[in-house]
Amino acid sequence: MATTKTHELTVREAPPDPYTAATFDVLLIDTDSQRAFITLRAIKSSMEIRYKHHTSGRGALESFKRARYNAIVCRPHFGDIVCRNWIQMIRIGAFGYKQTPVIVLCDTIELKNLAPMVDEHTVLVREGDSQALTEALVAIKTGENKKSVLVVEDEHIAARAAEKALEKYYRVTLAHDGMTAQRLWRQHHHDIVLLDLMLPDISGAELLRVMLQENPNQIVIIVTAHDAPDKHQELVLAGGASDFVSKPVDTHLLPEVCAGALRAKKCLTNIEHSRAEASDMMEVATRLRAADYHYERGQAAHGSAHLKRALASARAHMPDEDYWASIQAELKGH
């Protein structure tokens, strides 16, 4: 491993080893090497990292293709590629794990202008605010926003390989038999279960049934060595599994398989929420129409009852204080 000494700071610069759990690997993109050194010194004053520095977006993209990084720190201007376009490229997922966190260091004007490009995995930090930068990196390192994955696999080598593939992006727990998996799952309510079908005590299919019976929304990804499409289809369509992967598993794809299952669940949840909201609004509209009907006929008691039920249906959509005040002021003007 090469050691580069600049001024009084000694840093280690080397391509990240994607299978080393103890490291926190940062891809730094900055056209100004001296400024990059200052950024690294600020980070290393609070936490230990390994890093790879690139002065161009294309060079950084090649590095991103070859290694897994815990985080990317960059400036808004790469010289050869627009920052926004570069982030869009990695979010496509064709070059590496597309949900890799990105921290963009910006000046005051850039903070405002770049706000529209922010997604759930991108954060803007004011240039020179080393505390905010290190806090963002520490949050990534400690896994405050990481989803949890329970890997249920009786083959220890395969289980460890899956853990290594996932641990930079998820909080991973291993279980080597069905009973242990069931106990850990009930204790920790993991976001995702990566479930091998062939277990030494109870079958993966039975464990799937138990999990979905207790939590129908649980994400379960089946891992099986059996090349049996009909069985896979049945486990997904009838058994309730979210997805399946066949052995031997390409561990480099596991982070994205998990991310895809999370996205699918989020889409379904959004659809359910939209349907519920539409149903609530239909109830409100119907009650308001009924209230208007009764008030026009002098039936105040019936009108009031419908208004109360309309308010109850709309309780999740009540206005905030400012909006309520503006409505009150509008009514006073008439």
Side-chain angles (χ1 to χ4, degrees):
M1 183 176 294
T3 300
T4 304
K5 188 169 184 179
T6 309
H7 300 293
E8 297 181 354
L9 174 68
T10 300
V11 293
R12 295 177 297 162
E13 181 172 4
D17 176 359
Y19 297 108
T20 304
T23 62
F24 187 82
D25 297 310
V26 175
L27 175 59
L28 177 62
I29 313 171
D30 194 335
T31 58
D32 186 327
S33 296
Q34 183 61 30
R35 186 173 59 185
F37 166 78
I38 295 172
T39 301
L40 288 167
R41 183 172 59 187
I43 296 171
K44 287 181 68 67
S45 66
S46 299
M47 61 187 296
E48 182 66 24
I49 66 166
R50 293 196 312 179
Y51 78 96
K52 187 66 179 178
H53 171 224
H54 283 277
T55 57
S56 71
R58 285 182 173 82
L61 190 60
E62 288 302 313
S63 184
F64 183 74
K65 290 178 184 178
R66 295 193 301 268
R68 297 189 184 104
Y69 290 93
N70 295 85
I72 298 166
V73 177
C74 63
R75 292 302 199 293
H77 307 289
F78 294 176
D80 57 342
I81 300 177
V82 177
C83 174
R84 178 184 65 255
N85 295 345
W86 195 93
I87 293 176
Q88 287 175 342
M89 281 194 296
I90 70 167
R91 295 292 181 241
I92 292 171
F95 307 103
Y97 185 59
K98 65 182 180 181
Q99 297 184 16
T100 302
V102 178
I103 301 171
V104 186
L105 305 178
C106 312
D107 61 28
T108 303
I109 296 175
E110 291 165 341
L111 281 172
K112 180 179 180 180
N113 293 337
L114 295 178
M117 69 173 271
V118 173
D119 56 47
E120 61 180 319
H121 306 293
T122 304
V123 62
L124 306 181
V125 171
R126 188 182 299 278
E127 172 69 38
D129 191 343
S130 58
Q131 181 176 349
L133 172 59
T134 54
E135 285 177 355
L137 288 170
V138 168
I140 295 168
K141 183 175 183 178
T142 56
E144 290 181 7
N145 299 317
K146 286 182 180 179
K147 299 294 185 180
S148 58
V149 179
L150 174 62
V151 176
V152 188
E153 169 61 71
D154 64 320
E155 296 179 7
H156 288 243
I157 294 177
R160 183 59 179 151
E163 181 183 32
K164 288 291 187 182
L166 293 168
E167 64 188 355
K168 280 191 179 295
Y169 316 115
Y170 301 91
R171 288 180 285 111
V172 184
T173 305
L174 300 183
H176 301 298
D177 60 75
M179 296 305 296
T180 301
Q182 187 169 282
R183 174 177 56 80
L184 291 171
W185 177 74
R186 285 172 171 162
Q187 287 177 349
H188 301 290
H189 309 288
H190 302 83
D191 297 295
I192 302 170
V193 177
L194 201 61
L195 177 60
D196 182 24
L197 287 182
M198 303 299 291
L199 298 173
D201 46 1
I202 61 176
S203 71
E206 174 61 19
L207 187 56
L208 171 66
R209 186 192 66 78
V210 170
M211 288 179 171
L212 294 182
Q213 187 177 47
E214 296 184 21
N215 179 12
N217 295 318
Q218 177 64 55
I219 297 174
V220 181
I221 300 171
I222 298 297
V223 181
T224 175
H226 299 292
D227 187 14
D230 292 342
K231 186 177 183 64
H232 298 158
Q233 175 180 297
E234 189 64 20
L235 286 170
V236 174
L237 296 181
S242 304
D243 199 352
F244 68 87
V245 292
S246 297
K247 292 183 178 179
V249 177
D250 184 345
T251 55
H252 285 81
L253 298 180
L254 278 182
E256 185 51 44
V257 170
C258 292
L262 287 167
R263 286 195 300 274
K265 179 183 177 182
K266 185 176 181 179
C267 287
L268 292 174
T269 300
N270 289 341
I271 290 172
E272 292 173 0
H273 286 169
S274 296
R275 286 176 176 168
E277 289 183 358
S279 177
D280 287 345
M281 291 302 99
M282 178 63 74
E283 172 73 8
V284 170
T286 302
R287 292 294 180 183
L288 290 176
R289 183 174 180 180
D292 182 63
Y293 174 87
H294 286 294
Y295 277 122
E296 284 187 350
R297 286 158 180 74
Q299 299 169 345
H302 290 298
S304 178
H306 281 295
L307 280 177
K308 288 179 179 179
R309 293 186 181 182
L311 285 171
S313 297
R315 60 187 177 276
H317 307 278
M318 298 302 287
D320 58 28
E321 292 298 326
D322 291 339
Y323 186 62
W324 176 246
S326 69
I327 293 296
Q328 292 292 89
E330 178 183 329
L331 293 175
K332 290 178 181 177
H334 291 282

